[in-house]
């Protein structure tokens, strides 16, 4: 636990059990006498709780300080932010393998070859890596652009897969133009290049933290005065 949290926890305890402040001597809370009742059982006012209204307010303030005394919360998911760097490296390998493993198959109009290649490494992990990069930048200024680039790339991959299915006669539709696979491949190359550019820019943006500084303070139990100190 951080020092400021420990100090503020002690402050809350001090206010609850008495003493002039942190480190003050604690004393036992006096027990209120039983309520006096009239002949017919009616209350005659009772005794006020040993914790006065002022002390309740001060205790609430102290607990509030303790609750906000931690480190500022990250606005972006740090785990996904770090994982996106690994995912981008994987997508870089995909970009390198496209002209080697997918382009020749598309140019040869090999429908079965396209279906198989998309389901083998490194292309079989593309969707997972894309989502990791998108999540890593979802709280950053590039979030909207990342979403659009993701949808564009997924659509291009689905298009070439659909073209291959039609070419194999699985849909009952007429066979596509002989150059359609090559056209679909070009769209994948362009969409991946755009996504990598935006994803890299998003990954280079530091994790966004709340810029508000945490305030702690000392509380005078008698006067109720709070003197804040910015840390």
């Amino acid at each position: 636990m951080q020092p400021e949290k420990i100090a503020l926890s002690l402050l809350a305890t001090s206010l609850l059990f008495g003493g002039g402040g942190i480190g003050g001597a604690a004393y036992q809370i006096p027990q209120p006498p039983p309520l006096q009742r009239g002949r017919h059982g009616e209350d005659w006012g009772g005794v006020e709780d040993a914790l006065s209204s002022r002390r309740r307010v001060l205790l609430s303030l102290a607990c509030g300080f303790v609750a906000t005394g931690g480190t500022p919360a990250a606005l972006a998911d740090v785990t996904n932010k770090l994982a996106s760097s690994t995912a981008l490296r994987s997508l870089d390998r995909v970009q390198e393998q496209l002209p080697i493993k997918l382009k020749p198959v598309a140019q040869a109009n090999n429908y079965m070859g396209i279906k198989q290649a998309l389901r083998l490494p490194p292309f079989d992990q593309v969707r997972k890596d894309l989502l990791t990069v998108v999540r890593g930048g979802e709280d950053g200024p590039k979030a909207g652009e990342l979403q659009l680039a993701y949808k564009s790339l997924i659509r291009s991959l689905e298009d070439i897969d659909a073209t291959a299915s039609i070419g194999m006669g699985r849909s009952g539709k007429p066979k596509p133009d002989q150059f359609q696979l090559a056209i679909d491949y070009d769209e994948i190359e362009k969409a991946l290049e755009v996504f990598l550019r935006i994803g890299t820019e998003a990954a280079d943006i530091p994790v966004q933290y709340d810029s508000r500084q945490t305030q702690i303070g000392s509380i005078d139990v008698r006067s109720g005065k709070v003197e804040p100190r910015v840390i």
Side-chain angles (χ1 to χ4, degrees):
M1 183 178 291
Q2 297 180 353
E4 59 266 25
K5 280 191 173 182
I6 297 174
L8 290 170
S9 297
L10 291 174
L11 173 60
T13 304
S14 172
L15 290 173
L16 181 60
F17 295 105
I22 296 176
Y27 65 93
Q28 295 294 324
I29 299 177
Q31 298 297 319
L35 296 177
Q36 299 180 3
R37 297 185 179 276
R39 180 178 300 176
H40 301 290
E42 71 274 17
D43 288 345
W44 284 0
V47 179
E48 183 181 3
D49 194 315
L51 285 177
S52 66
S53 298
R54 178 190 295 175
R55 180 160 292 175
R56 289 181 185 277
V57 172
L58 297 180
L59 180 58
S60 298
L61 287 172
C63 291
F65 279 124
V66 172
T68 59
T71 57
L75 300 180
D77 187 328
V78 177
T79 302
N80 284 327
K81 185 77 171 179
L82 296 175
S84 66
S85 297
T86 302
L88 283 169
R89 287 194 295 271
S90 178
L91 291 171
D92 282 334
R93 290 193 292 272
V94 170
Q95 189 178 40
E96 293 172 357
Q97 293 296 311
L98 275 178
I100 299 172
K101 294 186 175 181
L102 203 62
K103 186 176 183 177
V105 183
Q107 290 177 335
N109 223 27
N110 185 343
Y111 301 119
M112 177 65 76
I114 289 293
K115 300 286 286 187
Q116 291 176 342
L118 291 175
R119 288 156 178 79
L120 293 174
F123 307 115
D124 58 337
Q125 295 294 314
V126 168
R127 188 183 294 267
K128 177 183 176 181
D129 290 332
L130 294 176
L131 286 173
T132 299
V133 176
V134 170
R135 283 194 290 263
E138 64 187 358
D139 290 322
K142 294 286 183 179
E145 293 180 66
L146 269 177
Q147 285 284 352
L148 292 176
Y150 166 79
K151 291 176 182 178
S152 177
L153 182 50
I154 290 297
R155 183 169 58 250
S156 66
L157 289 167
E158 291 175 346
D159 285 347
I160 199 171
D161 191 60
T163 299
S165 294
I166 295 172
M168 294 171 63
R170 292 184 176 179
S171 65
K173 298 179 181 178
K175 281 198 172 185
D177 184 88
Q178 61 177 337
F179 301 110
Q180 188 59 50
L181 279 182
I183 294 172
D184 291 342
Y185 170 82
D186 288 341
E187 291 301 317
I188 293 174
E189 270 198 343
K190 295 174 184 176
L192 180 56
E193 183 178 355
V194 171
F195 185 88
L196 283 173
R197 175 178 57 80
I198 298 174
T200 301
E201 292 173 357
D204 288 340
I205 298 172
V207 175
Q208 302 296 305
Y209 290 98
D210 191 340
S211 61
R212 292 172 298 179
Q213 292 178 299
T214 304
Q215 288 190 352
I216 63 174
S218 58
I219 304 177
D220 187 316
V221 177
R222 294 183 177 180
S223 68
K225 183 179 180 181
V226 179
E227 297 182 358
R229 177 167 59 86
V230 178
I231 59 172

